Amino acid sequence: MATDQGRVGEGPLAAGTEVGGFRIRGLLHEGGMALLYAVDAPEGAAPPPFPLLMKIPRLGFGSHPGCLVGFEVEQMILGRITGPHVPRLVASGSSDGAPWLVMERIAGDNLAEAAARAPLPVAEVVGLTAAVAAAVHDLHRQNVIHLDLKPGNVLLRENGTAVLVDFGLARHAELPDLVEEAFALPAGTGAAISPEQLAGIRSDARSDIFAIGVIAYQLATGKLPYGAPSTRSAMRRRLYIDPLPPCSLAPALPPWLQEVILRCLEIRPEARYATAAQLAHDLAHPQQVPHSERAARRHRAGPLVVARRWLQALSAPAAVAPTPAQHLSRAPHVMVAIDLDDRREAQAEAMRAALRRALIAEPDLRVTLFAALPEQPFGEESAPELAHGQQTAALIALRHWAAPLRLPADKLRTHVAFGSDTAGLLLGYAATHHADRIVVGARGHSALRRFLGSVSSRVVAEAGCSVTVVRPPRDNELTAAD
Amino acid sequence: MRTALLADIHSNLEALQACLAHARREGAGRFVFLGDLVGYGADPVACLEIIAGLAEQGAPVVQGNHDAACLGGILPDMSYTARDAIYWTRDQLGARERAFLAGLPLAVAEEDRLYVHASAEQPETWPYITGTLDAARALAATSARIVLVGHVHEPLLYFTTPGGNPRAFRPVPGVPLPLSEFRRWLVIVGSAGQPRDGNPAACYALHDPAAGTLTHFRVPYDAQAAAKKIIDAGLPERLAWRLIRGE
């Protein structure tokens, strides 16, 4: 169906050419692997509510053998993933022997434009990195690892939502891995490829966390942490030589953000964030990020450490969960709704027991203790100070509640919200911060809560995740009421 | 039209019925039987009646080594249990069943697909596809883009790679796999009547030519009943146990 203006897949097609019923409007981008066109839907068909993009891989003489494989992988995986963080696949097929696919064209900036302006202000680095992390978490939840994250593969919708594109190197845990490992170079981009990808491991979701770290480093400093090497041996340097701490390049960078970025860039995947959701959560709550040696680092590691890592790099990497889904199941975000007015120790102990069991089965979990306080009825002037005082008292009470659990600092977060709609606040926080489970007491104790109705029943009905409703073994209050 | 592919039914009526019912619920409008309809199990005549009925409606059926063995011969290549089951089965089959088995082809080609019991390479010698080299030979012996086989009782796929040996992939039950047009595929559909991969649930595959996908399914069925019939019929007890354990 291509006209004589050019064969599909060989050179740029002229506007007006029809491919698979779609009419070419114009060339958008001429990449090394594929050509991207703006297209119109076939006449007569109901036009989709978004603009369309057609991708045609380069298949002419001398094209890279990865072009077709990458296209094939993208076609396979795009057909399986949904949601606001990936473009919607509209159609795919082949014309003139050349394959094509049509997907949603995202109207918005490419993150590469932001990267070109780097170093960026801290708030912008945090916002963009959090947007990418949220998108990556949504992808991992669909059992897919991107494995080629870089600014050029992230688009930003007008509302700030990040959209991941180019799934040519991606891996879907339930589909065959078509990507060739036999090519001379490891599959990935030199600047952002993770240490385990260099060892040929393509099933670790934390490889994407590493790539987010590279993006954040670049946005914060304007430099690439490992440069952009193009040979395998040059890429392998990241197995033992760590990047210059970003604070030494951008002195305005707060230590907590350096802590976050360097944790993403840890050589061993198990030392990085367990999930992109935990990373996004930390970016949203900087004051709660526990500082390790990483926050204060000013220099690269010395030759002794490098020598030790070099030796370690020779040994086999640690075992990896076989799929992102299994990995995520070990690292849930568990929110615990705590009623600070409830003085029943049996209730608190039953909830802590639920958390102790979770800690055994889900070793990489993160717990957020959540409490809601009523809004301040005081005069406007004194309100902020009073609220602050109340919030501090509540945070101390939450930490005290969790003390018997002896959770490592990194696994515990707290949050105090203000408002009268406890269930609504809880549900909103759970949705924003990718909670996988909410643990809530069976029913509120105070007379006020009883009057307003049960928080737990509304949370159970409306939450987008699992909800565990905990009741102590023998609930005295309930027994008395019966 | 969606096509359900069943292999290695081995006279297991309970498994056959469960797979057919499951496939119909999944929208299968056609059936293909990839050989070894009989042998091992206690219901050869009942199974053949169902399969011959579907064959009359156009279902392709190919012959397996156990089907051929039921027609005669001294079976030097078979294990003692398999041989005992064949001798027992021969006694059960009437002239009609024998004629049906004798009339089955070794392979059936249809559009871009080839149906064969063991391998496209010398199917009459019943080779087992146990690795990428066997898969490469099977794919080299035919021009069909998709080769669908049974014989090996574990579900598995092989796909061609540019300039290399085929690679294997263990399908996830219930997940449709897009059979990319740029490759060739060898599909081992798994055994309906005698699974051996540790999962006793019956196995079959569903091909959807319109979507270009293939899905393996595992169907739980009353293996206890099938096993009891084997013991009651006086067949080797081991054949009953392996249905319960799926090994």
Side-chain angles (χ1 to χ4, degrees), chain A residues 93-109:
Chain A
S94 51
S95 309
D96 241 10
W100 49 264
L101 58 85
V102 173
M103 60 178 123
E104 174 189 8
R105 173 152 57 97
I106 310 296
D109 290 339

Side-chain angles (χ1 to χ4, degrees), chain A residues 38-53:
Chain A
V39 294
D40 288 321
E43 277 176 38
F50 44 80
L52 298 177
L53 174 139

Side-chain angles (χ1 to χ4, degrees), chain A residues 125 129 211-222 246 253 257 260-261 264:
Chain A
V125 175
T129 308
I212 300 174
V214 173
I215 293 173
Y217 189 105
Q218 192 183 358
L219 295 176
T221 66
L253 199 74
L257 188 52
V260 170
I261 293 174
C264 293

Side-chain angles (χ1 to χ4, degrees), chain A residues 1-31 34-40 53-60 71 93-102:
Chain A
M1 282 163 280
T3 64
D4 52 11
Q5 286 152 310
R7 274 174 62 83
V8 177
E10 282 186 0
L13 298 171
T17 313
E18 237 182 55
V19 181
F22 293 86
R23 190 172 291 278
I24 304 256
R25 268 195 188 183
L27 185 68
L28 290 173
H29 179 71
E30 196 171 346
L35 298 165
L36 304 180
Y37 299 94
V39 294
D40 288 321
L53 174 139
M54 178 177 277
K55 187 167 190 171
I56 302 178
R58 280 182 186 275
L59 294 179
F71 181 85
S94 51
S95 309
D96 241 10
W100 49 264
L101 58 85
V102 173

